[in-house]
Amino acid sequence: MVLFNIEEVSEEATERSLIRNGSSENNDRFLNRKLDARHLQLIAIGGTIGWHPRTGMFLGSGATIAEAGPAGSLLAFFIVSIMVYLVTTSLGEMATYIPVPGSFSTYGTRFVHPSYGFALGWNYWLQWAISLPSEISAAGIIMSYWYPNVESWIWSVLILGILLVINIFGVRGFGEAEYWLSMIKVVAVISFIIVGLLYDIGAIPVQKALWFDYWFIQGAPFKNGFVGVFNVFVIAFFSFGGTELIGITAAETKDPAKNVPRAVNQTFWRLLLFYIMTIFVIGLCIRNDDPNLLDAVNNNNVAIAPFTLLFEKAGLKYAANLLNGVIMSAVISAGNSSMYAASRTLMALAHNGQAPEFLGAINYSGIPLWSLLATSAVGYGSVFTFLLNITGISGILTWISISLIHIRFRRAFIVQNRNVREELIYLAPCGISGDILAILLGLAVLVGEIYAAYFSAFQSGDSGSGWKEISDNLTK
């Protein structure tokens, strides 16, 4: 199979030269390059700091300590951080070389097979489009925390309308909204880490120094042994979901040859700092057998979430209200990202002849309006929520696919006797070896999800519900 020919590469090289020279010409003839480097970096970082009760940092992080202990959780998150690095650098290499709408779905069509790109693109669109109703429903529930007498659906409709307006006003509006929403999350995490470290060393008068005391109690530092680490490994994977947005935004980023590699390189280290340090601090300051760690997840209770508990122990009043506000920003951010990623993916499918042609239409502001409205329509309806059961593994399949596509991308250079070091602007440091490792880790996550879901039901004596449990776990 000819993966790409000289004429295609020549045309794309011309487009890339326009980017390097800072031309304002619309390189892909459709979208406007109005996202700055600061937008790209915060989108990549803040997009992974989630609210989800099972896998998000603000509510779900404590459950990892309860499952694997402080050291076991750190090990699991570190391993997944390596996978994040491998996938994002591979995607960054391709997105820098060919910054086109649709990113990896378009790459899948070109470098693997049109049917592969078709399946990957629609799968990715469903992943974000179907998560949109979930996000806005959560926003309505969170607002009910402060306004219990107002129906939550009213808030949901209002927030969806605000998100639609933000995205209609251009990619710059999306970028600015995402920048400041992500900044709130980043500030909250940094504050938590600082307060937690001060609390642990006894610098806050309300508590004597703990140091590593909780690392040497029952269940620590590796709780439940290998099984505990593996279970957290699966959870950690879902916690990092969203880093692939770098590829989607490349087509609308100023000077992608410069800004995409910068965002890719910084994302790994910042995610490592935020996630690893957060898990480390929770393990220092909260016992692994504290029932609140699991209750916060099982009951979606922000009042007993790790962030709230630590802030309250440090003497910060109204911690629950503050954290609820942060989670609200995380939900809106997730909805904003869902709408953006889904609309751009749907537009790219239309451009590739894999979706109705009208969905590829772009208005004068550089917005795929019909794709945006189609995605928003999903957000207004609950009839599509059943699709969650078939899109739950979308994140795993997407990451595995990115690595597979990158192998084919590199293979194309080899077949045509081309030198990647001479032609590529940015090189993934680990190359094809990194792709293979990322694929194996992704498959391990998939197998782990099936194992954990089915055998937990089997051990409880209800093996017939095993596949239902798998579906539920894969949609968390």
Side-chain angles (χ1 to χ4, degrees), residues 306-368:
F307 278 59
T308 305
L309 292 176
L310 183 57
F311 283 139
E312 288 181 344
K313 287 181 179 181
L316 180 62
K317 295 182 179 180
Y318 310 113
N321 281 285
L322 289 173
L323 184 57
N324 212 54
V326 172
I327 293 176
M328 184 66 186
S329 72
V331 170
I332 296 176
S333 173
N336 195 33
S337 296
S338 298
M339 190 173 289
Y340 173 83
S343 63
R344 268 45 177 192
T345 301
L346 190 57
M347 176 204 68
L349 288 168
H351 288 173
N352 292 331
Q354 298 167 335
E357 185 178 355
F358 78 94
L359 293 172
I362 309 296
N363 66 15
Y364 289 105
S365 300
I367 300 300

Side-chain angles (χ1 to χ4, degrees), residues 143-325:
M143 290 301 296
S144 298
Y145 180 87
W146 292 299
Y147 301 98
N149 296 325
V150 180
E151 294 289 339
S152 61
W153 68 266
I154 296 177
W155 295 113
S156 297
V157 172
L158 178 62
I159 291 168
L160 180 60
I162 293 173
L163 292 177
L164 183 59
V165 170
I166 290 173
N167 281 268
I168 283 179
F169 276 102
V171 69
R172 184 79 181 187
F174 159 78
E176 285 297 329
E178 196 63 19
Y179 178 85
W180 291 109
L181 290 170
S182 296
M183 183 66 74
I184 293 173
K185 295 186 286 185
V186 169
V187 169
V189 173
I190 292 176
S191 300
F192 175 80
I193 292 172
I194 293 174
V195 171
L197 291 175
L198 292 175
Y199 179 84
D200 181 66
I201 65 175
I204 298 178
V206 297
Q207 172 66 41
K208 69 175 184 177
L210 293 172
W211 300 106
F212 284 86
D213 289 354
Y214 292 161
W215 281 53
F216 299 99
I217 62 176
Q218 184 177 1
F222 290 94
K223 190 175 182 178
N224 296 322
F226 172 79
V227 175
V229 173
F230 191 82
N231 287 340
V232 172
F233 173 73
V234 173
I235 295 172
F237 168 82
F238 288 96
S239 299
F240 283 107
T243 51
E244 74 282 347
L245 279 174
I246 292 177
I248 300 295
T249 57
E252 297 177 86
T253 300
K254 295 178 181 177
D255 196 359
K258 175 182 177 181
N259 291 325
V260 171
R262 180 184 299 174
V264 167
N265 290 331
Q266 293 182 1
T267 295
F268 170 72
W269 297 109
R270 292 182 181 180
L271 289 178
L272 190 65
L273 170 65
F274 291 146
Y275 270 96
I276 297 299
M277 285 301 298
T278 297
I279 297 298
F280 177 67
V281 167
I282 294 174
L284 289 176
C285 300
I286 302 177
R287 296 172 59 96
N288 68 77
D289 56 1
D290 189 325
N292 289 323
L293 295 177
L294 291 177
D295 289 344
V297 175
N298 296 331
N299 301 321
N300 297 342
N301 191 347
V302 67
I304 54 175
F307 278 59
T308 305
L309 292 176
L310 183 57
F311 283 139
E312 288 181 344
K313 287 181 179 181
L316 180 62
K317 295 182 179 180
Y318 310 113
N321 281 285
L322 289 173
L323 184 57
N324 212 54

Side-chain angles (χ1 to χ4, degrees), residues 19-34:
I19 297 171
R20 290 197 197 95
N21 294 332
S23 171
S24 60
E25 184 176 338
N26 199 347
N27 302 332
D28 51 35
R29 293 176 239 145
F30 296 110
L31 301 175
N32 296 324
R33 299 194 185 279
K34 292 187 177 181

